[in-house]
Amino acid sequence: MHYVTVSIGSNIDREFYVSKALNALDYFFAPLTISKSYDCVPVGFEGDNFLNLVVGFECSQSVSELAAMLRQIEEESDRVRGGKKFASRTMDLDILTFDDLVGIFDGVELPRGEITENAFVLRPLADVIPDDIHPLTSKTYQQLWREYDKDSQHVTETDYTWP
């Protein structure tokens, strides 16, 4: 079994689509460890705020099999591809960590570079695996969050809970 963390984000009917993502992931991978949820200003474009969180779970799938499952969940949730990289979306599911893998596996960068770049990824990840070590920085996710420039991107805890 592998331990995986996945980010979930939506800024279109966001509570509906985040719940839909959690329902699907729970169906396949229960039990889930779920971070707090965060209201986040979009990065790279103007638009409605995102609802972001991170889940952790065990799975037996390979990186490519899990990535394909996540794409399928997105597609079944009206995710539109082929547009701008930074745009509004119903659902965005990204593998953040997969065990302690480092490198590119079947087109998936591990650990995902956004972890150290974006508060909307790092903050909820630090909720789920605070004491795990980021394999490239040799710092815990909690330590990375403590050191993060919180003025650069704003995330605010929300009262969204699932289910």
Side-chain angles (χ1 to χ4, degrees), residues 66-82:
L66 179 59
M69 290 178 77
L70 298 180
R71 278 191 304 275
Q72 183 65 33
I73 293 168
E74 289 174 335
E75 289 170 10
E76 291 173 0
S77 298
D78 307 317
R79 169 71 187 265
V80 176
R81 295 197 187 279

Side-chain angles (χ1 to χ4, degrees), residues 88-119:
S88 293
R89 56 201 59 191
T90 57
M91 185 185 298
D92 191 23
L93 302 174
D94 294 310
I95 301 170
L96 301 177
T97 64
F98 194 100
D99 293 331
D100 290 327
L101 293 180
V102 175
I104 297 179
F105 300 85
D106 301 314
V108 177
E109 175 192 16
L110 296 170
R112 190 168 178 88
E114 281 185 303
I115 291 171
T116 57
E117 298 168 4
N118 290 313

